Amino acid sequence: MSKTTTKKSKSATVSRKTKLGRPMMGSEILVEALEREGVDTIFAYPGGASMELHQALTRSKQIRTILPRHEQGGAFAAEGYARATGKTGVCMGTSGPGATNLVTGIADAWMDSVPMVALTGQVPQPMIGKGAFQETDIYGMSLSVVKHSYLVTDIKEVPRVIKEAFHIARTGRPGPVLVDFPKDLQQQKTQPVWPEKLNLPGYPDPPRANYLELNEIIGLIEKADRPVLYCGGGVITGEASEELRTFVKATKIPVTTTIMGVGCFPETDDLSLRWLGMHGAAYANWAVSGQLKRDANGNTRKVADGADLLLAFGVRFDDRVTGKVEKFCEHGTIVHVDIDRSEHNKNRQVHLPVHSDVKYALGKLAAMVKKRPIRKKFTTWHKQIAKWKKKAPFRYNVNDQSLEVEHLRDDLSKREEIIMPQHVLQELYKQTKGDAIVTTGVGQHQMWSGQYYKWTFPRQLLTSAGLGAMGFGYPAALGAKVARPDKQVVDIDGDGSFLMNVQELATAHIENIAAKAIILNNQHLGMVVQWEDRFYAGNRGHTYLGDPDNRRQIYPNYVEICKGFNVKSERVIRKADLHGALKRMLAAKEPYVLDVIVPYTEHVLPFIPAGHTVADMIW
Ligand SMILES: Cc1ncc(C[n+]2csc(CCOP(=O)(O)OP(=O)(O)O)c2C)c(N)n1
Ligand SMILES: [Mg+2]
C-alpha cells in the first residue's frame, strides 16, 4: 500500500467518525444542522420555549440572527429572502403566540410556493396536552398550509428531520415546512449522527415529460395560428427562464405571465403581452380569450379571435387570472405543463396535461425546435397583437375629482400638481433604470406596481399574490435586501398595508438594512374603496384610514413615526417635488421612507370583475 493510499484511508476513517458528532445539546444540534444546510440568515424572535435555541445561535459563526419586531415580520422577511434568491428562507418563533404569529407567513409561502423552513419552540413534552403556558398545537393549526411538518419527539431525530425539512421545502414544487421542537429536547444531550443520505419513500424525483408529449406539443404549435404562452411562478421557481427565452426566440410565440411569473420573460420584448387577469393588460386577456364585447341586450359579441393554442407552464389557473373559468380561452386547445400533478384539471379542464419539471420540458422543447424549426411564422397573429397593444395600453388620466379630495385640497390647487400613483411607478422605473427589486403590500398600489414598472428578470417583483397578505411589503423588502445587498430594494406600499408591519422599521434601522419604502398614501383602503364604488354605490364600510374629525390632515403622520424609529423619511405632496425626493431616497445607504400623498379617487384599470369574462372588462 502506498503512502498516499494510507493517508487516504486514514482520512476516510476520520470522515466516517465525523458523522457521529461530539455530545451536544439538542439546541446546538439544531443550529449545526442549519449550518450544514448552508443557512446564513435566520429571522427569529425568542421566548421561553425557544430561548435555548437563541443561546445556541449566539455561538454560531455562520448564521446571522435577525430579530424582527413581530414574528409575522420575520416570516415575511424569510419569504423575501427566499423569493429574491430561490434559497430556503428560515424563520423561528417561540411556542404559543410566537408560533401563531408565524402562520400568516407560512400560509403565504404555501400559496405562492416559496421554500421556507419555519421553526417553533414547543413546551416540554411532558406538558404537551396539559394546556401549559404558551402551548398551542401549531402542528395541527398549520397542517393545511404546509408542505410537510414535524413535531420532534426524539433528540436523535434532529439531524434527519432538518435535512429532510430543507430538502422537502426546496425541491419539487417548493413550499413551507414546519419543525416544532419541544424545549426538553433542546436541553437534552446526545451525540448527533449526521445522515449523509435522505430516505424519503414516496417523495418523488422531479417528473420529466416524455418524448411523445413533447412531440405532441410541437405538433400542436405547427397546427396553430394563434398560439400564446401563459407562464407562471413555476417558471421562476423552476429556474426555467433561460429555457423559456430560448424557446420563444425560436418559435416567436407571444408570452403572457401571471403576476407571480413576471420577469420570467422580459416585458420590454415585443413578444411580451405582460401579465393577464383581473387587472392585467387588456391585450393579454384578449389574446387568451378573444376580444369580446357585451351588447345592449347583454349578449356577448366577438370582435376578434383569441388564442387557438394556450401553452401553460407552471401556472394554476387562479381565479384572479381566469375570471369565469369555463370561458377562459374557451376556444383554444390548452396544454398544461406542471411539476405538481394535483394542479392538472383542478381549476380548468385542459386538453393535454403534462406532468413535468418546467425547466426540463422547456429545455427539451427549445432543443427540438432548434433542430427542426417551426415552419409557421404567425405574422397575422403578431399584427393583431400589435393592434391590440396600441388600442389598450396601460394608461391613466388626472381627473378633476382628485382636486376635491379632502386630504389634498389645502395643498394643491391645480391638476398638474397632483401626484398620480401610476406616475410614481413610472418615475421609479426611470430612476432605477428598471433594475430594482420591488416588493409590495396588497391593494391598488400592488396592481399599479405590476402595471407601471416593467419586469425584465426573474425574482424582481416579490408580492403576496395567492394569499394577498397586507403587511408583506416592508418585511419582505428587508429579507430581499439582506439576500441581495447589491440591489436597490424598494417596497411600494399602501398606507393600510405599511401600517400592518410598521414595527419592522426598527429591524431595518438596528440591523442596517437599507431597504427603501414608498407609501402611496391615499388615506384609504383603496382597493376596497374601488369595490365599494363599483358595487356598493360608494357607501364607505370602514375603509377610511384617516382621522374622521380632521379629514384635511394626513393621518397617521408617517414622517413622525419614522423619526421615532430613527429612519429617514420625507413626505411628498406636489408632483414637482417627487423627482428630487425619489433621487434622495435611492441615493441613501440606509432605510428611507417616502410618504407620497395621492388621491383615493383613482380606480385600477383594466378591471374584470370577479367571476366575469373578458366581455365585461372595464378598460
Ligand atoms: C391582512 C389583510 N387584511 C385585509 C385584506 C383585504 N384588503 C385587500 S386590499 C385592501 C386595502 C389595502 O389598502 P392599502 O394598503 O392602503 O392599499 P391601497 O389599496 O390603498 O393602495 C384590503 C383591506 C388583505 N388583503 N389582507
Ligand atoms: Mg391606501
Side-chain angles (χ1 to χ4, degrees):
M1 199 182 274
S2 75
K3 263 189 173 176
T4 350
T5 335
T6 326
K7 246 189 180 169
K8 253 191 181 170
S9 69
K10 245 190 184 170
S11 66
T13 330
V14 173
S15 93
R16 221 175 296 135
K17 262 191 183 163
T18 52
K19 280 192 236 159
L20 186 68
R22 63 183 170 84
M24 293 162 83
M25 299 232 300
S27 54
E28 294 169 328
I29 297 171
L30 179 99
V31 171
E32 186 173 332
L34 296 178
E35 289 173 345
R36 283 168 177 258
E37 291 302 321
V39 173
D40 55 22
T41 309
I42 178 170
F43 300 89
Y45 202 102
S50 67
M51 59 184 295
E52 195 72 58
L53 302 171
H54 280 262
Q55 288 299 309
L57 279 169
T58 62
R59 294 188 285 275
S60 174
K61 293 196 172 58
Q62 179 179 317
I63 301 175
R64 174 182 181 188
T65 303
I66 294 179
L67 174 71
R69 265 42 176 190
H70 189 301
E71 290 87 351
Q72 184 182 105
F76 285 156
E79 272 201 88
Y81 177 100
R83 288 176 191 246
T85 56
K87 293 199 282 184
T88 304
V90 188
C91 56
M92 184 163 89
T94 189
S95 64
T100 55
N101 277 347
L102 288 176
V103 171
T104 303
I106 297 173
D108 197 70
W110 168 249
M111 291 293 277
D112 288 347
S113 305
V114 178
M116 173 200 268
V117 169
L119 304 162
T120 46
Q122 182 54 279
V123 299
Q125 285 182 101
M127 305 297 287
I128 292 179
K130 310 253 173 189
F133 177 64
Q134 295 194 325
E135 182 194 355
T136 53
D137 172 17
I138 190 64
Y139 180 96
M141 289 172 78
S142 61
L143 216 55
S144 60
V145 289
V146 291
K147 189 170 170 188
H148 196 61
S149 43
Y150 296 91
L151 168 62
V152 183
T153 55
D154 183 341
I155 185 176
K156 291 199 163 50
E157 300 274 271
V158 175
R160 175 186 66 82
V161 163
I162 295 298
K163 198 173 179 63
E164 286 180 10
F166 276 82
H167 181 74
I168 293 169
R170 71 179 162 231
T171 55
R173 180 179 182 171
V177 176
L178 175 92
V179 180
D180 198 21
F181 192 16
K183 183 165 180 172
D184 56 319
L185 297 181
Q186 299 170 27
Q187 294 172 322
Q188 248 180 41
K189 259 193 170 178
T190 193
Q191 267 185 295
V193 179
W194 301 106
E196 281 197 342
K197 276 199 186 141
L198 286 160
N199 178 23
L200 287 168
Y203 189 81
D205 287 334
R208 292 178 159 195
N210 63 42
Y211 178 74
L212 280 181
E213 290 166 326
L214 295 170
N215 210 29
E216 193 169 345
I217 295 176
I218 302 281
L220 287 168
I221 296 172
E222 285 286 12
K223 267 193 251 151
D225 291 320
R226 299 181 305 281
V228 168
L229 275 153
Y230 153 42
C231 298
V235 176
I236 290 174
T237 47
E239 304 288 351
S241 192
E242 278 311 313
E243 287 78 359
L244 171 71
R245 290 167 194 223
T246 313
F247 180 61
V248 175
K249 214 170 178 185
T251 58
K252 301 277 183 278
I253 301 178
V255 187
T256 185
T257 73
T258 65
I259 204 159
M260 280 299 296
V262 294
C264 71
F265 187 77
E267 291 190 341
T268 43
D269 192 297
D270 272 352
L271 286 169
S272 170
L273 292 162
R274 309 206 55 197
W275 51 285
L276 82 173
M278 181 181 277
H279 293 298
Y283 45 84
N285 290 323
W286 287 332
V288 170
S289 296
Q291 188 183 352
L292 308 176
K293 256 192 173 166
R294 192 145 325 273
D295 67 19
N297 304 322
N299 299 320
T300 303
R301 195 168 59 78
K302 185 180 82 186
V303 181
D305 280 318
D308 60 356
L309 174 65
L310 188 67
L311 301 170
F313 283 87
V315 295
R316 57 189 184 83
F317 296 84
D318 172 72
D319 55 272
R320 280 289 194 271
V321 164
T322 63
K324 193 172 190 165
V325 69
E326 59 277 20
K327 294 285 173 194
F328 179 72
C329 193
E330 192 182 10
H331 304 294
T333 300
I334 305 181
V335 176
H336 183 199
V337 182
D338 205 279
I339 198 163
D340 183 356
R341 201 197 284 274
S342 74
E343 288 297 347
H344 287 144
N345 300 321
K346 182 175 99 179
N347 294 334
R348 179 70 158 90
Q349 196 74 29
V350 300
H351 304 86
L352 179 61
V354 178
H355 187 209
S356 180
D357 175 68
V358 291
K359 187 180 178 75
Y360 177 81
L362 279 166
K364 279 282 169 202
L365 287 169
M368 285 162 85
V369 293
K370 190 174 175 204
K371 226 171 158 188
R372 189 157 43 92
I374 300 282
R375 285 183 299 267
K376 285 271 180 69
K377 297 280 177 271
F378 310 120
T379 326
T380 319
W381 185 221
H382 291 149
K383 275 193 192 140
Q384 172 65 69
I385 286 169
K387 220 164 106 186
W388 278 332
K389 282 187 176 177
K390 218 165 158 202
K391 186 182 174 77
F394 287 122
R395 62 182 150 204
Y396 64 96
N397 299 311
V398 188
N399 50 41
D400 283 334
Q401 231 186 341
S402 306
L403 279 176
E404 295 304 310
V405 168
E406 299 91 329
H407 67 262
L408 294 176
R409 223 167 11 191
D410 291 347
D411 292 289
L412 305 179
S413 52
K414 287 189 286 210
R415 260 174 181 234
E416 302 77 61
E417 291 176 339
I418 299 175
I419 303 176
M420 297 307 279
Q422 300 94 327
H423 171 70
V424 181
L425 270 308
Q426 287 172 324
E427 187 62 29
L428 179 74
Y429 181 71
K430 246 193 249 163
Q431 288 202 23
T432 54
K433 300 189 173 63
D435 192 46
I437 291 177
V438 172
T439 67
T440 74
V442 173
Q444 292 183 311
H445 63 277
Q446 177 189 30
M447 296 298 115
W448 285 318
S449 303
Q451 294 177 342
Y452 288 91
Y453 203 96
K454 282 193 188 157
W455 313 102
T456 54
F457 56 89
R459 308 189 179 286
Q460 188 178 13
L461 172 65
L462 317 180
T463 193
S464 170
L467 192 69
M470 289 171 69
F472 175 86
Y474 198 59
L478 297 186
K481 185 67 184 173
V482 167
R484 297 293 311 268
D486 55 314
K487 283 278 186 194
Q488 186 74 256
V489 179
V490 184
D491 164 35
I492 305 293
D493 228 325
D495 46 333
S497 297
F498 188 75
L499 199 58
M500 281 209 179
N501 274 316
V502 71
Q503 76 287 341
E504 298 310 327
L505 286 169
T507 315
H509 176 69
I510 301 297
E511 295 280 345
N512 285 319
I513 307 169
K516 317 287 167 62
I518 298 174
I519 306 172
L520 294 179
N521 189 346
N522 55 11
Q523 294 283 282
H524 285 75
L525 297 170
M527 187 55 96
V528 187
V529 164
Q530 174 166 343
W531 285 50
E532 285 173 344
D533 288 348
R534 297 263 170 200
F535 312 119
Y536 298 88
N539 185 35
R540 297 279 168 259
H542 321 107
T543 45
Y544 177 56
L545 295 170
D547 178 355
D549 292 333
N550 185 358
R551 287 178 171 259
R552 295 189 152 204
Q553 75 169 353
I554 307 296
Y555 178 89
N557 186 330
Y558 285 105
V559 177
E560 288 296 320
I561 290 174
C562 288
K563 214 181 264 172
F565 284 103
N566 272 353
V567 168
K568 284 205 178 130
S569 160
E570 290 182 53
R571 175 179 291 171
V572 194
I573 300 179
R574 277 190 187 73
K575 192 172 174 187
D577 298 331
L578 181 70
H579 181 86
L582 255 181
K583 217 168 168 185
R584 286 188 290 280
M585 181 196 85
L586 292 171
K589 301 267 180 281
E590 58 192 301
Y592 205 109
V593 176
L594 278 195
D595 183 25
V596 182
I597 313 302
V598 297
Y600 69 91
T601 38
E602 190 67 6
H603 285 185
V604 180
L605 295 179
F607 181 25
I608 303 176
H612 285 254
T613 72
V614 176
D616 303 304
M617 180 165 64
I618 305 154
W619 53 282

